[in-house]
Amino acid sequence: MASELAKEIVQMSQRQDRTSPLVLIVYSRSTRSRDIRNEQETMRITAPIEGGKLIFRISFPIPNYTPILGNNVHDNNQLADQTILDYDAENIEGAATCIEGYMSYRDKRDAMLFQVIDNGALGQFPLSRWTLEENQSGKTGSRVQTLQKILNVLLVKS
C-alpha cells in the first residue's frame, strides 16, 4: 500500500512531456532577416519537457571545414551539421555560458524570442528582441547573467 502511494505521488509530481512553446534564436547583426529563421545560420534554444524533466535544448550549426595544406578553411557552400546539447533546467548557468561562448566565437550579438506554432514553425513576428554586447572591459560575466535572465523567459507553463 505505501509503495503504491509513493508511486502515485511520483506520477503526480512528474511533469507531462511537451515541446517548447517558445524558441530563442541567437544571430549576428549581419544575418539577413530571412536567414534568422534558417537553422543553418542561427543558434536555437528551447525548453521542452522530456521524460518528465524540464531541459534547455541548444542547437547550433558546426561549419564544415576543408583541410587544405594543414589549415582549416571554411567552405561557405557546405551545409553545417547541427550540434544539439541538452542541459537540465537547474543548470541555467551552464546553458547561458554555452550560449555566450557561441556568441563570442561566432560574432553573434542579438537574440529574438518567437512563439512556436503547433506544427513546429515559428510565429510570424518575434515576441521580444535583445542586443547582447560584451561589456567594455571584454569580460563576459555580465552577458552570462543577462542570458540567464533571458533563459528564464523560456520556462513558461503551457
Side-chain angles (χ1 to χ4, degrees):
M1 171 112 169
S3 64
E4 288 178 30
L5 181 60
K7 286 180 186 177
E8 187 175 334
I9 290 171
V10 168
Q11 287 175 348
M12 289 175 62
S13 68
Q14 195 173 44
R15 299 176 184 151
Q16 295 294 320
D17 287 1
R18 65 153 171 82
T19 59
S20 183
L22 301 171
V23 60
L24 181 68
I25 298 178
V26 175
Y27 62 97
S28 171
R29 281 199 191 122
S30 63
T31 304
R32 294 176 300 226
S33 61
R34 71 172 186 258
D35 290 337
I36 289 173
R37 295 172 181 273
N38 182 347
E39 292 182 23
Q40 298 297 325
E41 299 286 333
T42 60
M43 172 184 261
R44 292 171 178 246
I45 304 96
T46 58
I49 297 175
E50 292 184 357
K53 291 186 177 187
L54 180 62
I55 61 172
F56 289 113
R57 174 159 294 140
I58 302 173
S59 64
F60 54 94
I62 297 178
N64 290 326
Y65 288 91
T66 306
I68 299 175
L69 300 175
N71 296 323
N72 288 330
V73 178
H74 181 62
D75 182 356
N76 288 322
N77 296 321
Q78 293 288 327
L79 290 177
D81 293 327
Q82 286 289 320
T83 294
I84 299 175
L85 302 173
D86 290 343
Y87 288 84
D88 288 333
E90 294 83 25
N91 189 5
I92 196 167
E93 184 176 2
T97 302
C98 174
I99 297 165
E100 199 288 322
Y102 177 84
M103 293 175 79
S104 295
Y105 184 68
R106 302 282 181 201
D107 192 33
K108 308 290 186 194
R109 300 282 187 263
D110 295 298
M112 282 190 188
L113 184 71
F114 285 89
Q115 181 179 10
V116 178
I117 300 172
D118 291 334
N119 63 4
L122 299 179
Q124 185 175 1
F125 300 105
L127 302 173
S128 300
R129 181 176 178 262
W130 296 271
T131 297
L132 300 159
E133 297 289 345
E134 290 180 304
N135 63 19
Q136 301 296 342
S137 63
K139 294 181 182 174
T140 59
S142 64
R143 187 159 69 174
V144 169
Q145 291 169 348
T146 301
L147 283 164
Q148 288 177 19
K149 292 174 184 175
I150 293 170
L151 287 173
N152 279 314
V153 173
L154 293 175
L155 304 178
V156 297
K157 293 181 180 180
S158 68

